Amino acid sequence: MDLTFFLEQIFNGLGYGFMLFLLAAGLTLVFGIMDTLNLAHGSLFMAGGYVSATVHAQSGSFLAAVLVAVLVTVLLAVLLEALLVRRLYGRDHLSQVLATFGIVLVADDVVKFLWGPSPIMAPTPALLSGPVELLGLPYPSYRLLILGAGLAVAAGLYVLVNHSRLGMLVRAGASNRAMAEFMGVRVSRVFTIVFALGAALAALAGALMGPISAVSIGMGEAILIPALVVIVIGGIGSVRGAFVASLLVGLVDTAGRAFLPPLLREVLAPALAADVGPAISSIAMYMLMAGVLVFKPSGLFPARV
């Protein structure tokens, strides 16, 4: 295990963490501020991936593909919020889970009807197809784009939530909806904006994920579980918590898969290490979550709205 391999895995872990943050940030806003558990958030991630891959293949423009994917997904999210999610505000979480899980099943079948059951490979942008030198390591420039996008979104959300009028209205509607409405705040419209913002972040994550891995049916459900782990670790409703927890989960998951199997082979029989290594790696983020909750039951940075 040399230094180059170590640095490469660290950057891969950070990239995966930023991808989780794009998904978890929108999810934690909807769940923490609107008290709505939206399992269909992963389907919005999938929609962004499919629309972006299709537009990129047809137009050849990655930027246009990302913008169209975000726009289409936001429109779908606004329609979903108006027709279904708005009726779930104030309902118990079990009702929200059942309703939004039904959307997941419908979305998977719609994608299968429109694109077929086979995965789609999204092309990597030509300008970002080569490596760049980073700390003496040739690293894919496209993965650096993901790092930059994650940092930009984190900074933008911090300003939006903590230093903008919209953020103030969101916090007011979340803490005391009746009083906010009495003061003239149209809380339902604010919640729609928050839901659309979460969808935009999910679509951006799906669009950026396409060139790294195949766009496939069920990709939203697969990444939704780590995103929920991120929310629990960081603190429900906390964007800062989602950011820190995303990086922790990304690093722990990537390091476990990359470093743990070879380390176990040094102390265990090869056959036993081959069985134990992947098993422990697959539950590393859950072990991290359990360890955090022992000392911080509300998460690392519980939201204060």
Side-chain angles (χ1 to χ4, degrees), residues 49-83:
Y50 269 96
V51 173
S52 177
T54 302
V55 174
H56 192 186
Q58 296 295 326
S59 67
S61 172
F62 178 71
L63 179 59
V66 172
L67 293 177
V68 171
V70 171
L71 178 61
V72 170
T73 305
V74 167
L75 293 177
L76 290 174
V78 171
L79 183 63
L80 176 64
E81 196 270 345
L83 296 179

Side-chain angles (χ1 to χ4, degrees), residues 22 26 29 41 74 157 160-161 166 192-202:
L22 292 177
L29 284 174
H41 197 74
V74 167
L157 283 178
L160 179 67
V161 173
L166 176 60
T192 299
I193 294 174
V194 172
F195 195 85
L197 175 62
L201 295 178

Side-chain angles (χ1 to χ4, degrees), residues 186-248:
R186 301 185 65 177
V187 177
S188 59
R189 176 177 294 180
V190 172
F191 280 6
T192 299
I193 294 174
V194 172
F195 195 85
L197 175 62
L201 295 178
L204 177 61
L208 293 177
M209 192 71 174
I212 297 178
S213 62
V215 179
S216 60
I217 297 173
M219 61 184 289
E221 295 93 285
I223 200 170
L224 185 62
I225 295 176
L228 290 173
V229 171
V230 164
I231 292 175
V232 172
I233 293 175
I236 295 174
S238 171
V239 175
R240 178 178 60 164
F243 179 75
V244 175
S246 295
L247 297 184
L248 288 175

Side-chain angles (χ1 to χ4, degrees), residues 25-51:
L27 189 59
T28 197
L29 284 174
V30 173
F31 189 19
I33 294 176
M34 301 162 60
D35 194 30
T36 302
L37 186 55
N38 177 28
L39 294 186
H41 197 74
S43 297
L44 299 175
F45 168 81
M46 178 177 65
Y50 269 96
V51 173

Side-chain angles (χ1 to χ4, degrees), residues 147-161:
L147 296 177
L151 286 173
V153 168
L157 283 178
Y158 174 78
V159 174
L160 179 67
V161 173

Side-chain angles (χ1 to χ4, degrees), residues 158-298:
Y158 174 78
V159 174
L160 179 67
V161 173
N162 297 286
H163 301 285
S164 72
R165 177 175 174 80
L166 176 60
M168 178 184 65
L169 296 178
V170 167
R171 296 194 302 273
S175 60
N176 194 325
R177 177 168 183 164
M179 181 58 70
E181 290 178 339
F182 180 76
M183 298 297 293
V185 178
R186 301 185 65 177
V187 177
S188 59
R189 176 177 294 180
V190 172
F191 280 6
T192 299
I193 294 174
V194 172
F195 195 85
L197 175 62
L201 295 178
L204 177 61
L208 293 177
M209 192 71 174
I212 297 178
S213 62
V215 179
S216 60
I217 297 173
M219 61 184 289
E221 295 93 285
I223 200 170
L224 185 62
I225 295 176
L228 290 173
V229 171
V230 164
I231 292 175
V232 172
I233 293 175
I236 295 174
S238 171
V239 175
R240 178 178 60 164
F243 179 75
V244 175
S246 295
L247 297 184
L248 288 175
V249 170
L251 289 171
V252 167
D253 184 75
T254 302
R257 298 178 189 279
F259 303 139
L260 189 58
L263 290 176
L264 288 178
R265 284 195 291 268
E266 298 293 330
V267 297
L268 298 177
L272 182 59
D275 293 333
V276 174
I280 298 179
S281 301
S282 63
I283 63 172
M285 63 178 176
Y286 305 107
M287 296 170 63
L288 172 64
M289 179 177 66
V292 169
L293 293 182
V294 168
F295 300 99
K296 301 276 289 185
S298 298

